[in-house]
Amino acid sequence: QVQLVESGGGLVQAGGSLRLSCAASGSIFSINAMGWYRQAPGKQRELVALTTSGQGTNYPDSVKGRFTISRDNAKNTIYLQMNSLKPEDTADYYCNLRGNLRTGVMFVSWGRGTQVTVSS
């Protein structure tokens, strides 16, 4: 299977920046989609950034222009650069990968999350 471990969360003042990392391990053959999601207390999990093979990258209006998803293939790591943070960005952030293992089996994996708190 594929394990994902997020890091980089923390407390930051409004207007500040954070970069989240998601390290993947396992017998990954290919990645079809990678994304970041967040869940604030009492709210449903929502998409923050999604890159799908052949379909580009999508961001919701709430983070467009402020957040950027990227990937380092050599390190099997995906990142979420978050700039101009707002208190409403406060949430637990989760990375998600979908792809194929070397065995040909498809996988969908979630990390355990990293907490981001933005103070006003």
Side-chain angles (χ1 to χ4, degrees):
Q1 263 294 359
V2 176
Q3 291 78 43
L4 304 178
V5 179
E6 299 101 334
S7 61
L11 174 64
V12 64
Q13 288 189 331
S17 298
L18 282 174
R19 188 178 79 156
L20 306 183
S21 300
C22 174
S25 60
S27 298
I28 299 173
F29 176 74
S30 63
I31 293 176
N32 299 326
M34 61 181 191
W36 285 93
Y37 296 74
R38 68 185 180 188
Q39 187 167 18
K43 295 188 177 181
Q44 290 187 334
R45 189 171 295 190
E46 63 177 357
L47 174 69
V48 174
L50 177 65
T51 295
T52 304
S53 179
Q55 298 184 23
T57 300
N58 292 301
Y59 303 93
D61 288 343
S62 57
V63 307
K64 195 174 294 183
R66 300 188 298 121
F67 290 11
T68 304
I69 188 172
S70 63
R71 172 182 172 186
D72 185 329
N73 291 331
K75 296 182 178 180
N76 271 347
T77 300
I78 64 173
Y79 302 97
L80 184 68
Q81 178 66 43
M82 305 186 295
N83 299 325
S84 302
L85 283 161
K86 305 175 181 180
E88 51 264 43
D89 294 320
T90 296
D92 291 325
Y93 284 72
Y94 301 86
C95 64
N96 170 266
L97 286 185
R98 285 178 278 157
N100 296 280
L101 300 175
R102 292 196 179 101
T103 59
V105 174
M106 295 178 63
F107 73 89
V108 178
S109 290
W110 288 91
R112 294 188 175 184
T114 185
Q115 188 174 55
V116 172
T117 303
V118 184
S119 63
S120 56

